[in-house]
Amino acid sequence: MKTPVVNWHKRLQDYSEALAELKDYLDELKRKGFSEKLEHKIIRSFELTHEMALNTMMEYFRELGHTGITGPRDLTVEAFHSDLIDDGETWLEMIIDRIKASPLYNEDVNKSLMEKTSKKFINNLENFERKMKKIEEESN
């Protein structure tokens, strides 16, 4: 049985939901301050949101007929060159930081990831959503 193809519009919807949850956790951090439990939620939510962004990009490029994209780095570079993302360097940093963050939640690495997510990464993730929604509107 053939696996159904999920179009990038559906991926964008899922991404937007994940991004909203991440923003909720970051708002909670501002309101209540740091807690280890919240740190874990933010990191997991960031990882999921970033992965969904990459999935959205991949589906978008597939629908355009782009082939040969072999991993997150290539995908990020292609997204930058296609003006889906503004700051390719920060998006590559997201990939590296996700690799560094271990399931065991190394305290120093995870604190850094949480801080970067709340101060830097979130803006890039929101910009990506805005650009994709604009493309979606223009395609309707």
Side-chain angles (χ1 to χ4, degrees):
M1 186 172 177
K2 207 173 185 185
T3 305
V5 176
V6 178
N7 70 27
W8 71 267
H9 303 278
K10 173 63 175 132
R11 295 275 188 205
L12 179 58
Q13 181 182 349
D14 294 342
Y15 169 74
S16 292
E17 290 171 10
L19 180 60
E21 181 176 74
L22 176 60
K23 288 164 45 173
D24 287 346
Y25 289 140
L26 293 174
D27 287 344
E28 185 178 338
L29 176 66
K30 286 177 189 170
R31 284 190 327 272
K32 296 182 179 178
F34 175 83
S35 76
E36 226 175 273
K37 186 176 180 179
L38 185 55
E39 177 186 56
H40 293 274
K41 286 179 181 179
I42 290 170
I43 290 169
R44 282 193 307 266
S45 184
F46 162 73
E47 291 171 334
L48 176 65
T49 303
H50 183 251
E51 186 65 29
M52 290 185 154
L54 296 176
N55 290 341
T56 302
M57 290 174 196
M58 183 63 86
E59 290 303 322
Y60 176 76
F61 288 127
R62 271 194 199 127
E63 284 188 30
L64 291 179
H66 290 262
T67 57
I69 299 173
T70 58
R73 185 189 171 286
D74 290 347
L75 186 57
T76 299
V77 170
E78 184 68 26
F80 178 72
H81 289 302
S82 298
D83 199 32
L84 298 184
I85 59 176
D86 297 321
D87 184 352
E89 192 174 300
T90 296
W91 279 82
L92 291 172
E93 188 178 346
M94 286 186 219
I95 294 167
I96 292 165
D97 285 358
R98 278 186 62 198
I99 292 167
K100 286 181 186 176
S102 74
L104 302 176
Y105 296 106
N106 174 298
E107 190 174 319
D108 292 336
V109 171
N110 290 333
K111 274 208 187 333
S112 171
L113 179 55
M114 188 181 76
E115 287 176 22
K116 286 180 183 179
T117 299
S118 65
K119 295 177 181 164
K120 182 179 185 180
F121 294 165
I122 191 65
N123 296 329
N124 286 270
L125 294 166
E126 289 172 330
N127 286 341
F128 171 67
E129 180 187 42
R130 270 192 294 279
K131 285 185 175 223
M132 293 306 295
K133 286 190 173 190
K134 184 177 181 192
I135 290 169
E136 187 174 48
E137 285 174 14
E138 291 170 355
S139 70
N140 288 335

